[in-house]
Structure formats: structure tokens, C-alpha cells
Amino acid sequence: KAGKISFVNLKTANVLVEQTLPDQTQILAADTLRLDGLLRDLFHEDALALENLKLVVLNSTEVFGLGEKMARILGNMGLQVVNVANFKNVSDNCLLYVDKKSINLLTVIKLKHVFNCEVKTTVLSDVRADIALVVGTNYARELTAK
């Protein structure tokens, strides 16, 4: 919302570190540990963490590491990701697999809204978590287009 926008200078926030490339070019690169700390400060939601739900992230795309990136985002939001794996089928859309009693929980509502997920009220038999989030190819295209 307009009143909740914050601007952060990554250099003054001590997130960027100087690095020298093989050709001796000096660059600023993000220190991922410091960046995660900053992102947790900015995006962590206590209400999500209090629900204490376990999530599994399933990558249905051919983009290597996309599930890990999604897990990192979710962790910085305050969610507990217990596993990252590949999904057996390719999906265009983000899918959330939850049981019927969890459909109105804040975590499900937030994930549906933020990642434009389709909610499925079936539980995947081979998943040992409260929620299975399937990363779809639309999300992969969105990330690579920016």
C-alpha cells in the first residue's frame, strides 16, 4: 500500500560488498546472508510464523534452483520450508495443495495472493507437510523477463 512503501539503499544498509572480477573490474555484489537479514526485517510477518505451518516447495519447471529461490523468499516471509524437491508434472501456474480445513488460514490466503496460486484442496500423498507449493512455469518466465 502507498503508505507502507520503504526505500532502502543497499550500500548504506551494508548489504553490498566490493568484489573484483577476473578482468580487474570492480563491482558491488550482494552478500546473500546480509541481504536475507535485511529482507527478513522488511518482509517477515509474525502472523504467518505463528501459524507454524510446514511447507514443501516443488519445482515444476526446468529452471534449476528455482525451488530453492522460492524457499528463500518464503523463509524471509516467516514461513517454515521443510523440503525443496522437483514436481512430477509440469504446471504453468503456481499451485497450493492444502487440506480443506486449512483453506482459510492466513498463510494460504497470503500465498495465493502474493504468488497468484491456484488452491487445490487435495493433499499430495508423498508430501509430509501442511502445504505443498508448486512453482509453475509462469513464475519462471516472470523472473527471467526482469
Side-chain angles (χ1 to χ4, degrees), residues 45-56:
E45 293 191 39
D46 291 337
L48 296 179
L50 286 173
E51 285 187 336
N52 199 30
L53 298 173
K54 313 270 187 288
L55 275 81
V56 169

Side-chain angles (χ1 to χ4, degrees), residues 57 63-75 84 139 143:
V57 176
V63 179
F64 180 77
L66 187 58
E68 293 291 340
K69 289 179 183 178
M70 178 64 85
R72 196 168 150 208
I73 292 168
L74 296 170
V84 178
Y139 187 72
L143 282 181

